[in-house]
Amino acid sequence: TPPTSKPQKQAQVQLFENSIRLSNVDSSIQDVSIYNMSGQLVQKESGVFSSEYALDIGKPGIYLVSVRLSNNEVVSLKYAN
């Protein structure tokens, strides 16, 4: 019989007013990169290794938040403050 692979859980990354929360996954947030709408890197945090990350973007605007998980999955979210 052929080997069967275990189905991977789909990471659920939720963006709240000032935080990112991770659920339904067997990994943690590894890196968070925040870009403005011009594509410029505004903030990068490496080595988070947590299931929650507090956003601290002082300037109002719309941003793209890229979250890399410890299993190397990347999730991108739009954030407006």
Side-chain angles (χ1 to χ4, degrees):
T1 62
T4 59
S5 62
K6 185 177 172 183
Q8 286 189 319
K9 291 180 180 179
Q10 180 66 32
Q12 292 183 354
V13 179
Q14 298 173 303
L15 188 56
F16 294 92
E17 186 174 335
N18 291 314
S19 67
I20 300 169
R21 289 192 192 137
L22 187 61
S23 61
N24 194 32
V25 71
D26 295 328
S27 63
S28 59
I29 297 169
Q30 184 168 337
D31 302 316
V32 177
S33 300
I34 301 171
Y35 300 89
N36 64 19
M37 294 312 291
S38 298
Q40 297 172 311
L41 181 65
V42 174
Q43 182 178 337
K44 182 172 176 88
E45 185 73 35
S46 298
V48 176
F49 300 111
S50 176
S51 63
E52 190 167 335
Y53 176 76
L55 290 172
D56 185 19
I57 306 172
K59 190 174 180 182
I62 299 173
Y63 298 91
L64 176 68
V65 179
S66 179
V67 180
R68 187 164 63 98
L69 306 178
S70 58
N71 66 2
N72 285 324
E73 182 178 350
V74 177
V75 179
S76 296
L77 305 158
K78 189 165 79 170
Y79 174 73
N81 66 345

